[in-house]
Amino acid sequence: METAETLRAWLADRGIACDVHDGYGLALVSVWVGLVVWCDGDRFWWRTGWSVQRGRFVYAWHPATDPERAAHRIALIYADLRERHMPSWLVPENAGVHHGPR
C-alpha cells in the first residue's frame, strides 16, 4: 500500500487525482476510466491495449523502486486517454444531465 501511495503522490504532483485501494496483497491506483495501476510492492503494472492475435490484454510494468518514472509513464497514458475518452458527465454541455450513481 505504501508503494501505491507513493505513486499516487507522484501523480498528484503532475496534477492527476487518483485513488488508492488495497486488499489481498495488492494495491490498486485508480487513475482514469480504463487506467488502473496494480502494485504488489515490487512493481507497478497497467493495461496498455488489446492483442487481437492473442485475444488478451497487453500490459506494461515498471519497478516499484522508481515511482517517479512510473508516474511519468502513466501520466502520458492518462493524457492520451483523457483526449480520446472524455466521459459524458465531464463534458460541459452535459453537466446538468443526471447519469445515475457513480
Side-chain angles (χ1 to χ4, degrees), residues 7-18 31-32 71-72 74-76 78-79 82:
L7 177 64
R8 186 206 55 74
W10 279 109
L11 289 167
D13 285 349
R14 289 166 171 72
I16 301 171
C18 47
V31 181
W32 188 251
H72 173 76
I74 294 162
L76 294 174
Y78 169 82
R82 278 202 60 148

Side-chain angles (χ1 to χ4, degrees), residues 5-79:
E5 286 290 350
T6 302
L7 177 64
R8 186 206 55 74
W10 279 109
L11 289 167
D13 285 349
R14 289 166 171 72
I16 301 171
C18 47
D19 298 311
V20 175
H21 310 277
D22 71 329
Y24 303 104
L26 290 176
L28 304 176
V29 182
S30 178
V31 181
W32 188 251
V33 176
L35 181 55
V36 174
V37 180
W38 291 268
C39 179
D40 63 3
D42 293 324
R43 68 179 63 195
F44 303 108
W45 66 98
W46 57 91
R47 290 179 181 167
T48 59
W50 178 262
S51 171
V52 174
Q53 297 85 1
R54 294 184 176 157
R56 64 179 184 188
F57 287 103
V58 177
Y59 293 84
W61 69 274
H62 198 89
T65 55
D66 187 10
E68 181 179 9
R69 179 74 178 144
H72 173 76
R73 292 178 66 194
I74 294 162
L76 294 174
I77 295 166
Y78 169 82

